[in-house]
Amino acid sequence: MSSAPRSAVLAVSALLLLAACGTGSDRPATGAAAAAAEAAPVGLKIDTSPRQDRIRAAKVDAIAAEVPSAVRARGEFLVGTSTFEPPLSFVADDNVTPIGVEEDIASLVADVLGLKPRIEPTSWENLFLAVRSGKYAAGFSNVTVTEERKDVYDFATYRLDQLAWEVPKDSPVTSITKPADVAGLTVAVGSGTNQEKILLSWDRQNRAAGLKPVQIQYYKQAADTYLALRSGRIQAYFAPNPTSAYHAAVSGETKIVGTYSGAGPTLQGLIAAMTQKGNGLAKPISDALNALIKDGSYGKVLARWGLSTEAVDESQVNPPGLPREQ
């Protein structure tokens, strides 16, 4: 039987997050769940138990009727996720159950579609393969819309995409806003991510201008990245803003020195649910999201995880994305 839900009411700075008191149980949280239970926006309760008291929504018959018949017949909304970091997606204090804003939004969408949500953690690489093959109905994993990805997948947007530059707190680097600012730096970035594409583009621009190249490092685990940052093996980390801002405030060891749209300098990046191209699910997912935006439950979920500033006014299907590489 599941343990009782546990939450922590946590005090933080007015800007974002700060470490605070422990959980409301005598059994300590572990791993990412422990980090989540130690920090939150002002007045927020973080429940890191596997039995999440999620915000739920009612089925909307007209939208549910848009779901392809094969999916309706299964009665299940199988979703892949791979973020593995709070507040996006991480494991509860049982070290098994996936929780976070991605799981909450996917569950809300499933409610509107009249389907039972089932969320499966997987690797970043396998997420794309599984969605493309049709194994997963959708991927909810901080995936940015790009023009290249739209060749293979359909998208339904649900959050703004902001990236962040994170450096040690005592770093002499105080601002990163343009390619020249990273010339000669050793930077960590996730392989196959949008931020990697942006960083590689910046490096090409620097080389063309005769500036020093960026030394790029890849780590599979965030813990390894932050160890490299603390030890001086890397000078900066380019990653999604939610996780970087969260870490900077919780650890007190790093700072954010710049943010950047996930779609580049001329377009606001957008995070979206990713579906198999042409499988007919992107529109009902988008319609479900718009219903959730309208009834307020979408906003409550973002507020629950401290991401209200990344809210969108409307979900779109396949909007303009990160431009193709030249």
Side-chain angles (χ1 to χ4, degrees), residues 40-69:
V42 175
L44 189 67
K45 293 182 178 180
I46 296 293
D47 176 9
T48 60
S49 73
R51 194 174 74 184
Q52 290 283 292
D53 184 20
R54 286 196 170 103
I55 297 161
R56 305 310 297 259
K59 177 183 178 182
V60 178
D61 290 337
I63 299 175
E66 299 175 9
V67 176
S69 58

Side-chain angles (χ1 to χ4, degrees), residues 136-198:
Y136 295 150
F140 283 75
S141 190
N142 208 54
V143 178
T144 300
V145 180
T146 76
E147 290 303 309
E148 289 180 344
R149 288 173 181 166
K150 282 163 59 179
D151 292 340
V152 183
Y153 306 95
D154 287 326
F155 293 93
T157 61
Y158 62 90
R159 237 180 51 240
L160 299 179
D161 175 26
Q162 291 293 107
L163 306 173
W165 289 96
E166 188 176 4
V167 301
K169 196 169 185 178
D170 59 356
S171 171
V173 178
T174 59
S175 176
I176 297 178
T177 61
K178 59 186 184 298
D181 294 335
V182 297
L185 296 185
T186 302
V187 177
V189 70
S191 177
T193 62
N194 246 7
Q195 51 267 30
E196 181 192 31
K197 290 184 179 181
I198 292 169

Side-chain angles (χ1 to χ4, degrees), residues 5-297:
R6 304 179 312 150
S7 63
V9 181
L10 306 151
V12 297
S13 73
L15 293 178
L16 264 173
L17 311 160
L18 282 176
C21 61
T23 64
S25 167
D26 58 1
R27 182 167 62 88
T30 59
E38 290 174 358
V42 175
L44 189 67
K45 293 182 178 180
I46 296 293
D47 176 9
T48 60
S49 73
R51 194 174 74 184
Q52 290 283 292
D53 184 20
R54 286 196 170 103
I55 297 161
R56 305 310 297 259
K59 177 183 178 182
V60 178
D61 290 337
I63 299 175
E66 299 175 9
V67 176
S69 58
V71 178
R72 287 205 310 272
R74 287 195 295 270
E76 181 180 75
F77 191 52
L78 178 56
V79 169
T81 186
S82 67
T83 314
F84 305 139
E85 294 180 64
L88 296 171
S89 179
F90 58 109
V91 292
D93 51 33
D94 63 355
N95 287 322
V96 174
T97 306
I99 63 174
V101 69
E102 304 289 22
E103 286 79 3
D104 280 11
I105 291 179
S107 296
L108 273 180
V109 168
D111 287 344
V112 174
L113 299 181
L115 301 171
K116 180 180 179 180
R118 182 157 72 92
I119 299 167
E120 183 173 299
T122 187
S123 69
W124 176 257
E125 295 81 5
N126 188 63
L127 175 71
F128 285 82
L129 293 173
V131 171
R132 186 172 186 174
S133 71
K135 175 185 176 182
Y136 295 150
F140 283 75
S141 190
N142 208 54
V143 178
T144 300
V145 180
T146 76
E147 290 303 309
E148 289 180 344
R149 288 173 181 166
K150 282 163 59 179
D151 292 340
V152 183
Y153 306 95
D154 287 326
F155 293 93
T157 61
Y158 62 90
R159 237 180 51 240
L160 299 179
D161 175 26
Q162 291 293 107
L163 306 173
W165 289 96
E166 188 176 4
V167 301
K169 196 169 185 178
D170 59 356
S171 171
V173 178
T174 59
S175 176
I176 297 178
T177 61
K178 59 186 184 298
D181 294 335
V182 297
L185 296 185
T186 302
V187 177
V189 70
S191 177
T193 62
N194 246 7
Q195 51 267 30
E196 181 192 31
K197 290 184 179 181
I198 292 169
L199 181 59
L200 290 172
S201 174
W202 280 22
D203 186 46
R204 287 193 296 271
Q205 293 177 56
N206 284 339
R207 290 170 186 263
L211 299 177
K212 292 182 179 179
V214 177
Q215 303 300 316
I216 301 176
Q217 297 294 321
Y218 299 94
Y219 299 92
K220 289 188 176 182
Q221 302 295 331
D224 296 332
T225 304
Y226 287 122
L227 179 61
L229 201 60
R230 287 196 302 272
S231 67
R233 295 200 302 273
I234 60 174
Q235 294 162 284
Y237 180 31
F238 192 32
N241 178 65
T243 53
S244 290
Y246 195 99
H247 174 265
V250 170
S251 70
E253 299 174 346
T254 59
K255 60 185 178 183
I256 304 300
V257 294
T259 58
Y260 197 75
S261 166
T266 61
L267 182 70
Q268 173 58 59
L270 292 169
I271 299 298
M274 177 176 65
T275 71
Q276 184 186 51
K277 189 74 175 177
N279 72 352
L281 274 171
K283 184 179 185 301
I285 290 174
S286 180
D287 288 346
L289 287 162
N290 282 321
L292 295 164
I293 290 170
K294 185 177 180 180
D295 72 17
S297 53

